[in-house]
Amino acid sequence: MKRILVAYASREGQTEKIAHHMARRLEDKGLGTRLINLIKGPTEAGADDCDAAIIAASVHRGRHDQELSAFIMRHAPALRGVPTAFTCVSLSAASVHAHDRAAIDELVQSFFYDIGWYPDRVEHVAGAVRDKKLSLLERYAVHTVMYQKDIPNDPSGDTELTDWAALDAFIEDFTAPLKGE
């Protein structure tokens, strides 16, 4: 059975929800998964015995988490030896403006340059805004960004922006070559 690593760095929970969704879809396809939460602490488990890897991470204040960088740099040789994808979760992925999507892609490419690793595929995924998990100042900042990017805000304060059908299509496309091996 093919084994797929799904490693993720999530601060507010949406990237974790996305990673778990991807792992379930992979398992539905008969693939084994190893799910690693990079924020919960250092792990020696990596991509050494996996046939492919998906790394998922959110962007906060224009940066990815240090735990993500450390994991990728530590396991880069193994990651270079298997098909890989990087799933970047951000509000910019939900923007209707091409310049916002280009800016987040530029940020991700700069991140790859800095850590010296480039995945085979990058997938931008819109995240979510959970007002109850934000301080008043954070809520103001996030809602300002959403307004500037013409991203609709749910009045309940729980705005889910992730396109689950598009994420499923990404999984289908990413795993297609693995079936023939």
Side-chain angles (χ1 to χ4, degrees):
M1 172 189 302
K2 300 279 184 187
R3 288 190 48 143
I4 314 298
L5 168 68
V6 179
Y8 66 94
S10 182
R11 289 284 170 198
E12 293 158 0
Q14 189 67 12
T15 304
E16 181 173 16
K17 186 176 178 180
I18 289 166
H20 281 267
H21 178 88
M22 290 189 296
R24 279 191 306 278
R25 290 297 175 260
L26 292 165
E27 289 167 356
D28 290 347
K29 296 180 153 310
L31 300 165
T33 61
R34 177 188 298 147
L35 194 62
I36 300 175
N37 181 339
L38 301 174
I39 301 297
K40 289 215 171 163
T43 178
E44 293 308 312
D48 294 337
D49 63 347
C50 291
D51 299 298
I54 301 172
I55 311 294
S58 54
V59 174
H60 289 281
R61 297 183 182 124
R63 304 189 84 102
H64 292 289
D65 290 300
Q66 289 179 334
E67 295 89 348
L68 171 73
S69 302
F71 177 84
I72 292 173
M73 287 189 286
R74 187 169 51 251
H75 298 286
L79 291 170
R80 288 186 188 103
V82 297
T84 56
F86 184 82
T87 305
C88 179
V89 180
S90 69
L91 288 179
S92 293
S95 177
V96 297
H97 304 293
H99 66 275
D100 289 329
R101 292 188 307 277
I104 194 66
D105 195 53
E106 185 177 323
L107 183 140
V108 169
Q109 294 302 321
S110 176
F111 170 72
F112 296 150
Y113 178 80
D114 290 345
I115 63 171
W117 173 75
Y118 295 88
D120 299 315
R121 179 168 177 174
V122 176
E123 186 72 15
H124 291 282
V125 178
V129 176
R130 312 265 189 250
D131 284 353
K132 292 177 182 139
K133 292 187 176 187
L134 303 173
S135 71
L136 184 60
L137 184 58
E138 289 170 325
R139 194 174 315 138
Y140 175 77
V142 167
H143 285 266
T144 299
V145 169
M146 290 174 71
Y147 177 77
Q148 291 170 343
K149 296 179 184 301
D150 293 324
I151 299 171
N153 182 30
D154 191 308
S156 73
D158 195 19
T159 307
E160 175 107 14
L161 301 164
T162 305
D163 183 341
W164 299 104
L167 191 59
D168 290 345
F170 155 70
I171 292 295
E172 184 67 35
D173 189 52
F174 181 73
T175 59
L178 298 174
K179 295 175 189 174
E181 293 180 355

